[in-house]
Amino acid sequence: YSNVFYLSTNAMASNVTASWRAHKKGALFANPCFTQIHPTCIPVSSEHQSKLTLMSESLRNDGRVWVPKKKNDTRNPNQIPDDERDYYLERLYPSFGNLVPRDVASRRAKEMCDNGYGVGDTGLAVYLDFKDVIKREGKNWVSEKYGNLFDMYRQITGQNPYEYPMMIYPAVHYTMGGLWVDYNLMSNIPGLHVLGEANFSDHGANRLGASALMQGLADGYFIIPYTIGNYLASQTPFNDINHNAFALGMQNINNQINKMLTINGHKTVDDIHKELGNVMWDNVGMSRSKKSLLKALDLIPKIRDKFWNDVNVPGTNNEFNSELEKAGRLADFIDLGELMAKDALDREESCGGHFREEHQTSENEAKRDDENYNYVSAWEHTKDQHKLHKEKLEFENVKLVTRSYK
């Protein structure tokens, strides 16, 4: 559900609707605020963009991340000598250098740009430079390893990364939250099993690359074939197609569709989605604070009011109507964004994909609070507000320790 931020590396069709509809019917939504930011994305080039492009994390194996030591330096990067460059990840994390985890690399890039060291037309980018590896191993070696990525970057930006450093900036990439499930992949609603990225189960506060694929494979191949069979064996078939729930469901969705089509306001769906995305990125994004989260919780209800009173959805419900589909997705994103801000506000610590500015060390590293926040946040949807349930985490084979990449 990263598209709650409007711009993300996810496919444009990715959405939260199925999970959110289940949540509104009683399924608990767990850890909604945990959001992974990927450090190696092509920066935003204009306000007309609808998606961001992810450059593979493998590029950090050989590329070196840097910014000029001088603020607002507009020189050609090839004209900036080494002693005037700040290879800040190598400086701050000598043991891991450019291979620090995604959340660390992302926050440090944002910090550099916020402090005036960003590059490019917007100042919201840092360099990823392959000059040294090309000199050491040769252009052919680099091409064999990264040629497709270099070609993709050149097609999108018009710049040749063999000759100039790439420009990258963090972007929303993955959300670790999802519907709460037990070890059988069943939610708190009996019979509702949730697999793969739709549940919260495998990632905790962060995730490793490709672990979403692992989760889908593990859930689909090794868990659900056994657990769902065990559940179904204890049930009797349900075949009452005239049950009131079906008619009520159809009535509710038709009412919503008709309402969206008859508002006839002045704002497009994308206008309002962009506004929501800006609020989420600025206040519930890479770093959060009590002030920013309260601001988001003040602004999101206003965006909801604007949507339900001033959106313009063209077309009818008797045709394939992509704008109507997007409107339904956005209605769910608005409600989800509000819950993400509530969850982030409740968690007074920094851990994994959740960084609270009030909770960091003197060296600006994440500061966890294992004594008070060692739990899964499972939110229940009620008529007027969300109710928090806390599932305590118990560690038997590993210890809770603070990581260090120095």
Side-chain angles (χ1 to χ4, degrees):
Y1 51 83
S2 295
N3 285 343
V4 68
F5 292 88
Y6 186 71
L7 288 178
S8 81
T9 66
N10 288 190
M12 289 181 63
S14 296
N15 62 82
V16 76
T17 291
S19 297
W20 196 253
R21 300 290 168 84
H23 174 56
K24 291 172 74 173
K25 291 293 184 180
L28 300 178
F29 206 109
N31 297 338
C33 80
F34 289 147
T35 305
Q36 183 175 78
I37 313 293
H38 203 293
T40 53
C41 299
I42 296 178
V44 176
S45 59
S46 79
E47 63 179 20
H48 303 295
Q49 272 185 261
S50 55
K51 188 185 184 307
L52 295 175
T53 302
L54 171 68
M55 301 301 293
S56 171
E57 186 133 76
S58 63
L59 292 170
R60 286 198 287 145
N61 286 326
D62 293 296
R64 300 179 70 191
V65 179
W66 65 275
V67 292
K69 290 182 178 179
K70 177 185 175 183
K71 290 186 178 182
N72 304 311
D73 194 331
T74 58
R75 285 179 292 174
N76 182 314
N78 291 335
Q79 295 176 348
I80 302 177
D82 248 25
D83 60 356
E84 295 181 31
R85 301 180 178 191
D86 181 8
Y87 294 92
Y88 58 89
L89 291 178
E90 298 173 26
R91 171 173 58 83
L92 294 168
Y93 307 99
S95 295
F96 284 78
N98 298 293
L99 298 180
V100 293
R102 292 175 179 177
D103 56 315
V104 176
S106 295
R107 285 199 303 271
R108 291 302 187 181
K110 180 180 185 296
E111 179 184 6
M112 289 295 162
C113 294
D114 289 349
N115 291 336
Y117 297 98
V119 299
D121 292 338
T122 64
L124 295 176
V126 298
Y127 289 125
L128 180 61
D129 200 335
F130 293 86
K131 179 189 69 174
D132 289 344
V133 69
I134 290 173
K135 183 178 180 180
R136 186 175 64 250
E137 302 290 348
K139 182 178 177 180
N140 289 339
W141 184 91
V142 174
S143 179
E144 288 179 4
K145 196 170 183 181
Y146 303 116
N148 61 326
L149 295 169
F150 278 41
D151 290 344
M152 180 172 70
Y153 181 87
R154 187 173 186 174
Q155 289 288 332
I156 294 172
T157 67
Q159 293 184 336
N160 186 348
Y162 293 103
E163 298 176 1
Y164 297 94
M166 287 184 179
M167 286 191 290
I168 58 170
Y169 192 71
V172 178
H173 179 56
Y174 194 85
T175 43
M176 282 72 79
L179 296 183
W180 180 92
V181 292
D182 60 18
Y183 288 113
N184 293 324
L185 299 182
M186 187 164 73
S187 71
N188 58 298
I189 297 178
L192 177 61
H193 292 75
V194 187
L195 282 66
E197 294 186 23
N199 73 43
F200 86 108
S201 61
D202 288 0
H203 304 300
N206 216 331
R207 72 180 276 267
L208 301 173
S211 62
L213 175 63
M214 174 277 296
Q215 182 181 10
L217 293 172
D219 288 358
Y221 279 119
F222 303 117
I223 302 177
I224 201 65
Y226 305 97
T227 60
I228 198 169
N230 185 60
Y231 171 78
L232 292 174
S234 65
Q235 304 300 306
T236 55
F238 178 83
N239 53 18
D240 182 9
I241 61 173
N242 296 314
H243 194 282
N244 288 338
F246 293 114
L248 183 60
M250 289 293 292
Q251 179 183 337
N252 289 340
I253 195 62
N254 281 324
N255 288 343
Q256 177 174 299
I257 288 172
N258 291 332
K259 183 175 181 180
M260 289 178 179
L261 289 171
T262 55
I263 294 171
N264 294 322
H266 302 88
K267 297 288 186 179
T268 68
V269 175
D270 283 349
D271 287 340
I272 299 175
H273 198 168
K274 288 178 182 178
E275 185 176 350
L276 173 67
N278 287 334
V279 169
M280 292 297 295
W281 177 249
D282 291 341
N283 301 288
V284 200
M286 209 179 320
S287 63
R288 301 99 180 248
S289 66
K290 182 177 181 179
K291 180 181 179 180
S292 74
L293 294 168
L294 289 174
K295 181 178 180 180
L297 290 171
D298 175 61
L299 292 173
I300 293 173
K302 296 175 182 176
I303 295 174
R304 181 186 292 112
D305 288 342
K306 183 181 297 184
F307 175 83
W308 287 110
N309 291 285
D310 199 27
V311 74
N312 189 305
V313 182
T316 71
N317 61 346
N318 297 318
E319 60 186 343
F320 177 73
N321 189 335
S322 60
E323 287 300 303
L324 178 59
E325 179 186 0
K326 287 197 296 184
R329 305 291 187 234
L330 178 56
D332 296 327
F333 276 139
I334 292 171
D335 292 344
L336 168 69
E338 187 173 43
L339 180 60
M340 291 174 69
K342 287 180 179 178
D343 188 41
L345 183 63
D346 172 77
R347 190 168 284 274
E348 290 276 359
E349 65 164 351
S350 294
C351 62
H354 168 65
F355 188 80
R356 283 285 297 268
E357 294 173 4
E358 305 95 323
H359 304 290
Q360 55 184 307
T361 68
S362 58
E363 297 178 319
N364 306 115
E365 303 292 348
K367 189 175 182 180
R368 290 204 320 261
D369 183 352
D370 296 333
E371 182 178 350
N372 296 305
Y373 292 93
N374 186 24
Y375 59 76
V376 172
S377 298
W379 293 88
E380 178 186 357
H381 188 278
T382 61
K383 185 176 181 180
D384 299 319
Q385 60 183 0
H386 275 88
K387 179 181 179 182
L388 175 61
H389 300 269
K390 300 177 182 179
E391 180 186 24
K392 183 174 174 56
L393 295 170
E394 297 181 4
F395 296 84
E396 296 179 356
N397 299 313
V398 295
K399 291 182 178 179
L400 275 176
V401 295
T402 301
R403 59 184 179 169
S404 173
Y405 298 96
K406 296 292 185 182

